Amino acid sequence: MAEKRPRPEDQEAGVHERALFQCADLILPWLDSAELAATSSTCKTLNHICRSITASRFSDAARGFEPLPIPFVNAVDHHPYAYFLYTPAQAHGSDLRDRQAWGSTRTDSARHERLDAWVGDACGCECERCDGDSGCPCSDLDSAELARECGPSCWCSVECGNRVTQGGVSVRLKIVRDRRKGWGLCADERIGRGQFVCEYTGELLTTEEARRRQQRYDQLASGGRFSCALLVVREHLPSGKACMRMNIDATVMGNVSRFINHSCDGGNLSTVIVRSSGALLPRLCFFASRDIQKDEELTFSYGEIRLRSKGLQCFCDSPDCFGILPSENT
Ligand SMILES: C[S@@+](CC[C@H](N)C(=O)[O-])C[C@H]1O[C@@H](n2cnc3c(N)ncnc32)[C@H](O)[C@@H]1O
């Protein structure tokens, strides 16, 4: 039987489809969730690619920036994931981006490049021989809320035991959807008391800009369906006076800690201000304040460090619940 030859017009259509596929795989990961949904309905090929991007997005909110994937889990409604820009470290003015590829088939090794560059800046300190087990001259835990780690001015490597908060999120976590609170961060394995969980990263703002944004976020939140993640951290002198204020906004750009919900009983995480030798700015890190079981939600008290003009209804369900989320004016 004679072999059936493809018609020229079919061949041409095949070439177009392959070209479309290649371009789409490069471009579509740059779209946000609404744009991706709109593109998905245009034709079968794009629908197929958009679906694989969506699957990749909900399988890892950290998009390869952390040592372990952090999936979204939703058994309550149709939202597969929350769209935001990921930053594994504090973002300063020049780091700010409008777009970031998320969900492409290419792997992302950006986190490891960043850490290597950071440690490679060593200019010397006394702790070149620290090994973590026998302690480190740079280590100086002043209080439960302030810790010191090796940093850019130390000779030690990323393996140093006094850099526990610098390797990214290395406990298994997942982001679980709740009908009333929206997304929340949960343990996906048992976490021991005192273990490092994650850093709170986002855009570092001036106090003036933080106040301006908070006003806007409060307006948006009063219309419902908007959740902001602007955290104000104050470091206090022994006299009780605030001596340092950091405004970290993870609403648009942050890491998985932007999903940590509030609990009026203080939750199971404690916040620690970590200073690293040679680093200009301190970082805010979360540690387990008690043993945490697999599937338990991770929470902390937004307390006084949250700046809001109006309190939203609180659903923490703790016996101590005040009924509204903490705010500076409530
Ligand atoms: C930092 S975000 C936490 C992640 C958020 N649930 C989401 O879906 O993106 C803070 C927002 O989460 C919600 N939230 C946090 N804790 C809550 C609680 N205990 N009860 C009700 N809503 C809460 C509020 O909308 C709050 O503005």
Side-chain angles (χ1 to χ4, degrees), residues 188-208:
D188 206 14
E189 66 177 340
R190 184 188 172 280
I191 303 175
R193 179 169 184 259
Q195 225 176 314
F196 168 65
V197 177
C198 55
E199 178 184 341
Y200 196 90
T201 73
E203 292 174 65
L204 276 180
L205 305 180
T206 62
T207 296
E208 195 186 356

Side-chain angles (χ1 to χ4, degrees), residues 261-269 271 299-305 326:
N261 287 320
H262 161 84
S263 182
C264 294
D265 65 4
N268 47 19
L269 297 178
T271 50
T299 54
F300 74 111
S301 170
Y302 289 0
E304 290 180 344
I305 56 174

Side-chain angles (χ1 to χ4, degrees), residues 5-171:
R5 286 188 161 192
R7 292 177 308 164
E9 56 268 38
D10 290 344
Q11 269 180 326
E12 201 179 319
V15 171
H16 283 150
E17 187 160 314
R18 268 198 305 282
L20 176 64
F21 200 93
Q22 278 166 1
C23 292
D25 194 38
L26 278 176
I27 296 164
L28 300 191
W30 292 88
L31 303 188
D32 66 24
S33 41
E35 292 163 340
L36 199 65
T39 309
S40 159
S41 58
T42 53
C43 76
K44 254 188 172 174
T45 312
L46 290 182
N47 177 272
H48 174 72
I49 302 168
C50 290
R51 278 199 293 166
S52 87
I53 290 170
T54 301
S56 162
R57 285 183 178 183
F58 69 70
S59 70
D60 185 15
R63 58 206 82 172
F65 281 101
E66 305 292 354
L68 295 169
I70 303 168
F72 287 96
V73 178
N74 187 352
V76 302
D77 58 33
H78 64 278
H79 296 284
Y81 63 91
Y83 185 83
F84 67 109
L85 305 180
Y86 205 91
T87 178
Q90 297 298 19
H92 306 264
S94 58
D95 306 330
L96 303 180
R97 287 155 285 168
D98 291 339
R99 299 264 167 182
Q100 183 179 53
W102 183 17
S104 87
T105 48
R106 281 149 249 267
T107 52
D108 196 330
S109 58
R111 172 159 194 100
H112 302 102
E113 279 163 24
R114 183 186 71 84
L115 278 174
D116 291 347
W118 201 67
V119 175
D121 269 351
C123 60
C125 78
E126 290 172 60
C127 63
E128 66 254 56
R129 282 185 302 281
C130 68
D131 58 15
D133 294 332
S134 55
C136 170
C138 280
S139 174
D140 171 23
L141 200 64
D142 294 331
S143 70
E145 289 169 346
L146 179 66
R148 247 172 232 293
E149 287 194 352
C150 291
S153 65
C154 305
W155 283 106
C156 54
S157 73
V158 267
E159 272 79 49
C160 168
N162 192 34
R163 290 179 184 265
V164 284
T165 66
Q166 296 169 33
V169 183
S170 44
V171 290

